[in-house]
Amino acid sequence: MPQAQLTLDPHFTVGVVNRRLFGSFVEHLGRCVYDGIYEPTHSTADAQGFREDVLELVRELGVSTIRYPGGNFVSGFRWEDAIGPKDERPARLDLAWHSTESNEVGLDEFAGWLDKTGSELMYAVNLGTRGVQEALDVLEYTNIRSGTRLSDARIANGHPEPYGVKMWCLGNEMDGPWQLGHRSADDYGKIASQTAKAMRQLDPSVELVVCGSSSAQMLTFGSWEHTVLEHTYEDVDFISCHAYYEELDGDTGSFLASAVNMDHFIESVVATADSVGAELKSKKKINISFDEWNVWYISRYHNVDKITDLESWPVAPRLLEDSYSVVDAVVVGNLLISLLKHADRVTSASLAQLVNVIAPIMTEPGGATWRQTTFFPFAVTSRLAVGSALEVKLESDTYVSATYGEVSTVDAVATHDAETGKTAIFLVNRSQDAPTTVTIDVSHLGPVSIVETHTLADDDIYAKNTVADQERVALHPNETTTISEGSLTITLPAVSWTAIALA
Ligand code: AHR
């Protein structure tokens, strides 16, 4: 049986775990908004048309920030189309997803929905087909109290208090040739810097995210970050990272090691940002907003789902509705471990997306809502990871993956809250054929006891929760856990994700 040893010491911390690490993303894409969070004719719909059953799951998931309204959608979006009386709002073509946008839900409705979820709005401005003025307009609408055309328009629309939006994305994936208004790093860096300066002139308290690469596989990755930050270093707080992973050609071993790629991606962007900071002789540090990450079977979108017919611009089509398996959830749990391991520099992140579209929560129109497998590691990590991420010492057996070479069989991270004494440990076993026993030295924590354990595993690693079988996959307590004299032992099933809470 493969073995691993882990040592925790609360004196050695990586950084404070920012709640914003547990953000998500709602894009006007497919059925994320319409027939997802919003369905006025559903039996659970509230007075604003939002599904209560979905709201309950969003609360249970424990999402902190929610990025909105895109994604690729935002690069063609006219935000003012989606405010004011609903019957006066125009329907528009959404070129990003070849759909029709009714504009029935916009900024005001979404902000109202966020109040019900208890999450924070992270708003993306359109720097694809628009620019500085439109970014200023939407900021005036959200953050100015009253007495100007747009703040008074918000009040007239029934929202007397400003929204006080802090987190703003300066466009979306502007390095991607698919993006409306795609431009070179130099051109984007200039417009992003101008927009950032103008936004801060209006509200100096905003926190700004400049677009990094849309994946580490982009040919411009690295040089894009460098050039964009040369233009914007003193103007912004974050640079974004986006990464999606999928199992390709049956190579489960490489897929299970996706977090190795995420670790490397984060460390490369941090190194690039710091090198620009050094060149500019700046004392400031740029942090990472990993504002799109997940498992996404993107090849399915390109080969099956994509709509191109000029006669067909459907409203809320079924797009990117990936159904997630146990192995997908183990990878998602491992990606969360990677984010926590870099908590000093990754201080914001968004699981893409929230409902129906590559999402932990699924719905049927007029029907049920249910948790995908990926729901579980996210909800538990969000609930248990408090305090600081610890710099753990891990020794593990290894295996050779086709894509990443030799990788460790077990990956792990821990968090510790000095105030409450609560500690949480998150682990994955990437072995496909054997359980792994992990011995964890918890002696530096003082006397501790096990409060809860959760393991996600299944004899069928491709088992899923579906509309027909909504609770096929669930978390189970890990009955193998023992603790004695400062040493905790646990056996992790093959292809599994586990969380342990200690007090
Ligand atoms: O999340 C789906 C899409 O992936 C987003 O719209 C885009 O930003 C990314 O390419």
Side-chain angles (χ1 to χ4, degrees):
M1 188 186 289
Q3 305 283 326
Q5 281 84 40
L6 187 66
T7 305
L8 315 185
D9 187 332
H11 296 104
F12 299 118
T13 60
V14 177
V16 172
V17 177
N18 194 311
R19 280 299 305 157
R20 284 181 177 156
L21 271 191
F22 305 106
S24 186
F25 176 29
V26 167
E27 178 168 3
H28 282 249
L29 191 184
R31 300 190 310 120
C32 189
V33 174
Y34 307 109
D35 283 355
I37 63 171
Y38 179 80
E39 191 186 342
T41 55
H42 194 271
S43 59
T44 71
D46 64 14
Q48 287 71 44
F50 291 109
R51 283 180 63 158
E52 276 288 354
D53 58 347
V54 176
L55 264 167
E56 263 171 46
L57 287 189
V58 172
R59 289 187 200 111
E60 183 185 325
L61 188 63
V63 288
S64 50
T65 44
I66 302 189
R67 185 169 176 251
Y68 177 84
N72 295 340
F73 168 81
V74 81
S75 295
F77 179 50
R78 291 173 254 207
W79 71 276
E80 66 277 20
D81 282 350
I83 56 168
K86 286 198 177 185
D87 56 2
E88 290 173 20
R89 298 184 190 179
R92 295 278 193 190
L93 293 178
D94 162 16
L95 301 187
W97 302 105
H98 204 95
S99 307
T100 298
E101 172 55 52
S102 70
N103 284 310
E104 210 177 319
V105 171
L107 181 48
D108 291 320
E109 291 78 21
F110 192 70
W113 181 76
L114 284 175
D115 283 345
K116 301 174 207 236
T117 66
S119 313
E120 177 193 353
L121 177 58
M122 178 178 186
Y123 195 85
V125 299
N126 174 357
L127 289 189
T129 58
R130 302 192 124 185
V132 180
Q133 186 59 60
E134 292 85 357
L136 286 175
D137 288 349
V138 69
L139 181 58
E140 179 184 329
Y141 188 86
T142 59
N143 285 16
I144 293 295
R145 182 161 293 282
S146 64
T148 65
R149 182 158 181 274
L150 290 165
S151 58
D152 287 345
R154 185 199 67 243
I155 295 167
N157 289 335
H159 307 280
E161 289 302 311
Y163 295 122
V165 182
K166 287 280 168 261
M167 290 282 281
W168 294 81
C169 302
L170 300 169
N172 176 68
E173 294 191 347
M174 298 307 300
D175 63 322
W178 59 85
Q179 200 70 216
L180 278 172
H182 157 67
R183 51 198 85 186
S184 68
D186 219 27
D187 289 347
Y188 170 67
K190 285 179 194 158
I191 181 92
S193 165
Q194 289 162 4
T195 308
K197 286 189 172 82
M199 289 178 78
R200 284 202 201 282
Q201 227 170 307
L202 195 160
D203 180 352
S205 73
V206 291
E207 296 175 53
L208 300 174
V209 185
V210 74
C211 292
S213 295
S214 44
S215 86
Q217 282 67 49
M218 296 297 288
L219 288 177
T220 49
F221 173 57
S223 67
W224 172 275
E225 279 75 4
H226 197 274
T227 305
V228 165
L229 284 175
E230 277 176 336
H231 287 287
T232 60
Y233 199 88
E234 297 300 339
D235 303 320
V236 301
D237 306 285
F238 300 88
I239 185 157
S240 70
C241 289
H242 290 182
Y244 293 101
Y245 299 94
E246 64 183 312
E247 181 171 350
L248 289 169
D249 307 322
D251 181 4
T252 315
S254 297
F255 179 50
L256 279 163
S258 297
V260 170
N261 178 275
M262 187 185 244
D263 290 341
H264 188 241
F265 187 6
I266 292 169
E267 285 152 24
S268 307
V269 175
V270 166
T272 307
D274 288 353
S275 89
V276 177
E279 285 162 29
L280 298 175
K281 304 188 175 37
S282 175
K283 291 203 174 76
K284 179 178 173 183
K285 288 271 185 242
I286 299 289
N287 284 331
I288 290 180
S289 171
F290 215 121
D291 48 42
E292 287 189 33
W293 69 269
N294 204 348
V295 170
W296 175 13
Y297 287 83
I298 195 166
S299 42
R300 184 186 143 81
Y301 168 66
H302 288 296
N303 301 329
V304 183
D305 280 350
K306 198 167 184 169
I307 311 162
T308 50
D309 180 2
L310 190 57
E311 299 300 319
S312 167
W313 296 81
V315 175
R318 287 182 186 260
L319 283 177
L320 282 55
E321 298 203 1
D322 288 6
S323 180
Y324 291 118
S325 67
V326 170
V327 65
D328 296 328
V330 171
V331 170
V332 163
N334 201 169
L335 296 175
L336 282 161
I337 290 173
S338 172
L339 294 173
L340 285 168
K341 282 203 290 196
H342 298 93
D344 54 336
R345 300 301 292 271
V346 184
T347 52
S348 171
S350 306
L351 174 72
Q353 298 192 3
L354 187 59
V355 179
N356 289 331
V357 173
I358 45 173
I361 299 170
M362 295 301 290
T363 70
E364 273 302 309
T369 181
W370 68 97
R371 301 167 188 81
Q372 294 235 51
T373 56
T374 53
F375 185 100
F376 302 111
F378 189 98
V380 175
T381 309
S382 171
R383 183 168 60 82
L384 296 181
V386 286
S388 296
L390 299 185
E391 213 170 275
V392 298
K393 175 137 176 49
L394 173 69
E395 286 165 71
S396 162
D397 288 349
T398 60
Y399 68 96
V400 177
S401 70
T403 308
Y404 307 113
E406 188 177 2
V407 298
S408 67
T409 306
V410 168
D411 196 12
V413 73
T415 60
H416 178 74
D417 185 3
E419 262 175 48
T420 61
K422 288 183 178 168
T423 300
I425 309 165
F426 305 96
L427 307 115
V428 288
N429 181 12
R430 297 169 176 155
S431 168
Q432 292 175 65
D433 33 52
T436 300
T437 295
V438 188
T439 308
I440 308 175
D441 178 353
V442 292
S443 61
H444 304 282
L445 297 170
V448 285
S449 57
I450 299 163
V451 180
E452 49 186 304
T453 60
H454 305 278
T455 288
L456 189 81
D458 201 282
D459 289 343
D460 175 7
I461 64 167
Y462 294 106
K464 297 170 175 178
N465 290 342
T466 60
V467 63
D469 195 355
Q470 293 166 20
E471 295 182 8
R472 164 69 184 79
V473 178
L475 292 172
H476 296 286
N478 191 311
E479 311 284 2
T480 68
T481 322
T482 59
I483 190 165
S484 165
E485 293 177 6
S487 179
L488 187 152
T489 306
I490 188 166
T491 300
L492 310 176
V495 187
S496 65
W497 173 89
T498 292
I500 308 166
L502 305 174

